[in-house]
Amino acid sequence: MTTSQDATSAPSPELAPAFDLRRLLRDNIRDYGMFIALGVIWLIFTFTTDGLFVSGRNLVNLVNQAGFIIVIAVGMTLVIVIRHIDLSVGFLAGFLGAVAAIAMTQWGLPVWVVIPMTLIFGILTGLLTSFLVAYVGIPAFVATLAGWLGYRGALGLVTRATGTIVIPNATFNALGGGFVPDIPGLTFLPERHKVTLLLGLIAIILFVVSSIRTRRNTGPQVDSLSTPLFVLKLVVISVAIAAIAWAFAGYQGLSWTAVIVLIVVLFYDFVTRKTVLGRHIYAVGGNPEAAELSGISVARITHVVFASMGMLAALSGILYSARLRSATTTGPLLLELDAIAAAFVGGASTSGGVGTVFGSLVGALVMISLTSGMNLMGIDNSVQYIVRAIVLVLAVVFDVVTRKTAK
Amino acid sequence: MERSAERTPVVELRDIKKYFGAVRALRGVDLALNRHEVLGLMGDNAAGKSTLMKVLSGAYIPSEGGIFIEGQEVHFASPMDARRMGIEMVYQDYALANNLDVAGNVFMGREVVRFKLGPFGVMDYPHMEKETKNLINRLKIDIPSVRQKVERLSGGQRQAVAIARATAFDAKVIIMDEPTAALSVAAIDKVLDLINQLREHGSSVIIISHRLEDIFRVADRMIVLRQGRKVCDTPVSGDIQDFRERVVAYMIGARNDFAEASPVL
Ligand SMILES: Nc1ncnc2c1ncn2[C@@H]1O[C@H](COP(=O)(O)OP(=O)(O)O)[C@@H](O)[C@H]1O
Ligand SMILES: [Mg+2]
């Protein structure tokens, strides 16, 4: 910021010309760039795999594979927004997944006790981290590196006697690999899963109605889309939702993992954008001193964000072990790094205050789509890592460049 | 002595001391601010001006001394306590969140809730944006939209947002820490006009400034701090040149009205 500028000597902003393509691109490419990138990646894989990539079966697999990463990425985004990081969540997820498995197999607890209990353990571990960060004042990087070591050890200890713990509970395992049952007795569209189609339709209606209502309430603003573009956006997203619902419905319909991911994403999107808590999280990320001076407790926000991270790590551990129908001795390796990459690909910034839930969802889908598509193409594993490295760097470069030109 | 509500100072600081480890930033300062009064606060760098005002705004807890609001002793544990008592401060660095928009900054920490969903308060955006618009119109601030992110605003606009926030909630006392330091002459005029306006609306104002012209133009009274002590407390009057000479004498330590021993010359 240059301090010599001021309101009166700066040229007053002229009314923008009706259609200024450069300005339009500049203002919108940052918000929609990731969605476009995801679309392009999907198109490329659709061609290179002869359509296999967008088959219902592969899309369902994709979501089920991505589920435990997406929920972690959502939590990680908020951690990054408030200028911290959490390296411990990978092994924490593995450890809590193992605890859930032990609770069912050895303690004989029913699923409906085990799941909330595991989530509460997650919250408590998150509070332990935030105690170290906000109260003791240890940098999150160090505190959670200790967590990485500690939970890795804890996972080793609890699985030492048994090795991999097989989970026999069908209800629990359905969270990772099961499908929402269809309404029985419907005869139309016999090949398609009706509940999924219905949900897709509801999603489109809700999306369109709420977009229009928001726009009408607030009126056109400097940063909003022009009307034709707004309509275009509505159409593109509606078609995308319809296409995905149709593809899902053609296989076995909506998986439980997809349902859980949807709930998590919608809930966190709501909290971050609409509620006072969400506003405070972004205020703390943007300027912690200013937030504190405005009466926002930075410590309290830090506790809330890490508690939520812990809870989502627990959920991730549940999804992961349900998917494998077992708790392994190593847990989901490199999960924390995948989640961090997803958040940055999705537009989060290391300097804090920036990053959205939907951005991280898209970031996670980009990364998992790359893995899935390259697997289908039979590309070597090591090459895959390099491709993902390049995409990560490109995404961040894109973010930096568009941020600069936006100023 | 008669102590009607009119005569009781809005704010009184008594023997405020503030230590940062070995640094004695404030060594016992008294300050009284009357109703409808604009008080200038001057002093060299590191004299303790910002620290004293942060004690009053609740950002710092004093090591010793008392704060009295309309005669009642108060203890601020946080800036929110002070804001609840009607004390607002425009900080030297503006204290804005650049990632939030104008309305978001004005209402930061005081978001208006439309309804509650369990523990989650759902914000009333339209209300906050409308209020911010009114405020900006009233203060005649030149900002294209209340949804503009602060990171896209110029220095003067940012400061205007910080001032708007301080005046948004009908504060009794508004503290401004060097509000003119980063501004052009035209923008300074605006800020000083605004201070006069605030006084007319019934607020009391404390303004920290390095520019004697500013103080001379808007302040009724002036306090000079030097090395954490008050050395001068005087009405603003007379000729600006004479005034300047006197103030400089206080600032460099040549004069001190509050010295225990006779002033060292
Ligand atoms: N948070 C702090 N920690 C340590 N020392 C401080 C802090 N704030 C102010 N000081 C010290 O207190 C003294 C007064 O500072 P300040 O009130 O900012 O002066 P002024 O605003 O008059 O220039 C200075 O010596 C400064 O270094
Ligand atoms: Mg200062």
Side-chain angles (χ1 to χ4, degrees), chain A residues 1 3 5-8 218 221-222 267 270 273-277 279-280 282-283 286-287 290 292-295 353 406, chain B residues 59 79-80 83 91 95-96 99 104 108-109 111 113 117 120-123 125 142 145 147 152 154 156 158 182 184 187:
Chain A
M1 188 192 94
T3 48
Q5 286 178 314
D6 66 74
T8 43
T218 54
Q221 290 280 342
V222 272
F267 174 72
F270 165 77
R273 288 193 309 115
K274 301 282 186 202
T275 71
V276 174
L277 174 64
R279 172 56 59 81
H280 287 185
Y282 283 89
N287 188 344
E292 193 78 55
L293 290 174
S294 311
Chain B
M80 205 58 206
R83 295 183 85 182
Y91 292 91
L96 301 172
N99 59 333
M108 182 156 62
E111 294 77 8
V113 172
L117 272 181
F120 300 102
V122 177
M123 291 187 291
Y125 274 108
D142 181 19
S145 159
R147 278 211 228 149
R152 291 220 198 159
S154 73
R158 281 173 207 224
S184 72

Side-chain angles (χ1 to χ4, degrees), chain A residues 279-348:
Chain A
R279 172 56 59 81
H280 287 185
I281 290 172
Y282 283 89
V284 167
N287 188 344
E289 293 83 24
E292 193 78 55
L293 290 174
S294 311
I296 299 168
S297 164
V298 175
R300 181 179 154 263
I301 294 298
T302 309
H303 292 311
V304 169
V305 167
F306 275 102
S308 115
M309 178 79 266
M311 183 190 71
L312 291 176
L315 181 60
S316 174
I318 290 171
L319 291 177
Y320 180 75
S321 49
R323 188 172 146 70
L324 298 185
R325 296 157 193 266
S326 61
T328 63
T329 54
T330 58
L333 282 171
L334 300 184
L335 171 60
E336 64 282 348
L337 298 186
D338 281 333
I340 292 168
F344 285 127
V345 168

Side-chain angles (χ1 to χ4, degrees), chain B residues 42-45 49 178 180 208-213 251:
Chain B
M42 295 197 78
D44 224 336
N45 278 331
K49 307 179 295 292
E178 311 235 2
T180 58
I208 300 180
S209 181
H210 269 113
R211 291 166 35 97
L212 191 72
E213 303 88 309
M251 282 175 66

Side-chain angles (χ1 to χ4, degrees), chain B residues 122-139:
Chain B
V122 177
M123 291 187 291
D124 191 343
Y125 274 108
H127 180 83
M128 290 193 281
E129 291 184 350
K130 210 181 88 210
E131 287 289 302
T132 307
K133 257 180 223 158
N134 291 342
L135 199 62
I136 280 174
N137 291 340
R138 200 176 75 200
L139 302 180

